Amino acid sequence: MKISDDSIEAAILSSGGEFDSHEIIRRIAQQNQHAYISELSSVDSDTPFQTFHSMLGKRIKAICERHGFTGEASRSQDIFGQYSNCVFWSRQLGL
């Protein structure tokens, strides 16, 4: 089972005009628990969360840009509560 782009897009569009990629990843994990675990468990890496979240971040980026969001480098708490790099997304009203 794979997290669909439609699920990612729904998480993004329901987040308002400003959010960061960590928020979207948490929302995706919560709303798609079975698919999230399935994809995460298929990652062959010593750092599966980081690898998988990086893959999700690229998908989030493509969808955000398609919807007129602008990204800038930021930091916030990740899924483990540690501050790490992410992208802060925003868009002007009316877009």
Side-chain angles (χ1 to χ4, degrees), residues 4-6 8-10 12-13 19 21 24 28 53-71 87 89 91:
S4 71
D5 282 350
D6 288 342
I8 296 170
E9 185 171 43
I12 290 167
L13 296 178
F19 51 85
S21 54
I24 299 301
I28 290 166
H53 291 173
S54 177
M55 293 166 32
L56 281 175
K58 290 174 184 169
R59 294 172 67 193
I60 291 167
K61 178 182 187 288
I63 293 168
C64 282
E65 288 176 346
R66 190 167 62 236
H67 283 280
F69 286 90
T70 302
V87 178
W89 295 99
R91 74 174 169 186

Side-chain angles (χ1 to χ4, degrees), residues 22-55:
H22 287 149
E23 293 173 53
I24 299 301
I25 289 169
R26 283 191 297 272
R27 183 170 287 179
I28 290 166
Q30 181 182 24
Q31 295 174 349
N32 303 275
Q33 293 180 30
H34 186 71
Y36 178 88
I37 291 168
S38 177
E39 278 196 73
L40 177 63
S41 68
S42 71
V43 173
D44 185 20
S45 169
D46 289 337
T47 55
F49 282 92
Q50 182 180 8
T51 300
F52 179 50
H53 291 173
S54 177
M55 293 166 32

